[in-house]
Amino acid sequence: CSVAIVAYRDSQEWAMALAVLLETASRGLKQSTSIFNAALDACGQVVKWKQALLLLSEMAKCILEKSPVSYNTAATVCETSLRWDLTLGILLKMSGSSLRKDNITYNAAIGALGKVERWEGALALFADMCSCSLSPNVIISNAVMSAFEKAVQWAWA
C-alpha cells in the first residue's frame, strides 16, 4: 500500500494517495504510521494543509503512534500554506507528547512566522530551540534572518 501511495505522491496525485489509504482501512488491512506518513507527504507535495491535519487526527483514531516525521510533514505543509497558527499548534502538540522536536520542526515554525513578519515569535522559537540543546543549522539561521528582513528589523539581523 505504501508503495502505491508513494507512487501517487511522486506524480502529485494526492487524492489517489488518500484513496489508497482509505481502501486499506475499508478492507480491514493493517494501518501503519509509515502508510499515513506517505499519505501526509503526498498532501505536502501539493500543499493540502487541511487534508494533512485530518490525517494526523485520523492517526489518533486508528490508535497509531505519530512519529516526528508525521508532525514535521504536517507542520511543513502548514508553513508552506502560510498557516503559521496551525504550524505553531503542531509544535505545541509535539511539546505535549513524548516526541522530541527537531530542526525540521523548528524550521517549519520559524519559517511560518517569518513569512508573516512575526519576527519576535521566530526569535523566541530560535531561543527555545537553542535551550533544547539543538544546534541551529544554516536553513534555520536563514529562516530567522529572513523573518528579520521581511519585518524590516535590520538591527536584529
Side-chain angles (χ1 to χ4, degrees):
C1 295
S2 60
V3 173
I5 292 172
V6 169
Y8 285 125
R9 177 206 65 198
D10 290 346
S11 62
Q12 296 191 346
E13 295 185 53
W14 66 273
M16 291 301 293
L18 294 183
V20 170
L21 180 67
L22 291 173
E23 183 69 20
T24 62
S26 68
R27 290 184 181 208
L29 299 173
K30 186 177 187 239
Q31 300 286 359
S32 72
T33 300
S34 62
I35 290 173
F36 270 87
N37 285 346
L40 276 165
D41 199 28
C43 293
Q45 296 294 315
V46 290
V47 195
K48 295 291 184 184
W49 64 268
K50 288 180 185 176
Q51 289 78 4
L53 294 179
L54 285 172
L55 284 173
L56 272 183
S57 296
E58 197 61 33
M59 286 178 80
K61 291 178 190 173
C62 295
I63 313 173
L64 291 173
E65 190 168 324
K66 297 170 193 154
S67 71
V69 172
S70 309
Y71 282 106
N72 288 343
T73 303
T76 301
V77 174
C78 292
E79 176 218 352
T80 306
S81 303
L82 302 178
R83 292 305 310 259
W84 65 270
D85 54 334
L86 298 174
T87 307
L88 291 182
I90 292 168
L91 185 82
L92 287 173
K93 283 182 183 178
M94 280 188 85
S95 296
S97 75
S98 61
L99 297 175
R100 187 166 186 248
K101 297 173 280 191
D102 60 17
N103 282 4
I104 297 169
T105 315
Y106 278 101
N107 184 58
I110 290 169
L113 289 168
K115 288 176 182 175
V116 294
E117 299 179 14
R118 294 183 174 268
W119 67 272
E120 299 98 333
L123 183 59
L125 284 177
F126 184 78
D128 182 56
M129 177 186 178
C130 293
S131 72
C132 293
S133 300
L134 286 172
S135 298
N137 58 24
V138 173
I139 296 168
I140 292 170
S141 298
N142 285 341
V144 172
M145 296 301 246
S146 178
F148 295 146
E149 177 188 10
K150 284 182 174 48
V152 193
Q153 295 294 323
W154 297 109
W156 286 94

